[in-house]
Amino acid sequence: MITWIRSAAIAPGKTRDAFAFVVDASKLIRERHGIAISVSRPLAGNPTRIFWSSQHADLEGYARDHQAIIGDHRTLKLL
């Protein structure tokens, strides 16, 4: 199992915008490519962090899925 995780620090006052962006991007990726992206925040520690992740059966699946995402102009425009 391969787990891909991306994290980011959110600028003060931008939490709502950051979550809206990540949720929109995750929804677009799920609709266009069938890849489930999970969005989360930490319970403890820095509350201005955001995480998004996906799981893949193997390295080949990870490479295939992420190649599909970066090859999609509509997704890249949003990102």
Side-chain angles (χ1 to χ4, degrees):
M1 173 81 52
I2 301 293
T3 301
W4 171 85
I5 301 172
R6 176 67 56 145
S7 67
I10 304 168
K14 298 293 184 178
T15 302
R16 184 174 301 182
D17 293 340
F19 270 94
F21 165 74
V22 172
V23 168
D24 288 346
S26 298
K27 182 179 174 185
L28 179 65
I29 290 168
R30 184 179 311 231
E31 289 171 354
R32 293 183 63 84
H33 304 288
I35 302 166
I37 305 287
S38 299
V39 179
S40 61
R41 293 175 69 169
L43 269 177
N46 186 346
T48 64
R49 303 288 296 171
I50 187 170
F51 302 93
W52 55 104
S53 63
S54 60
Q55 292 191 339
H56 310 272
D58 51 30
L59 190 55
E60 183 180 330
Y62 163 80
R64 180 187 59 245
D65 289 347
H66 284 272
Q67 186 63 39
I69 292 169
I70 63 171
D72 180 6
H73 297 292
R74 184 171 171 195
T75 304
L76 287 181
K77 183 176 178 182
L78 175 65
L79 298 177

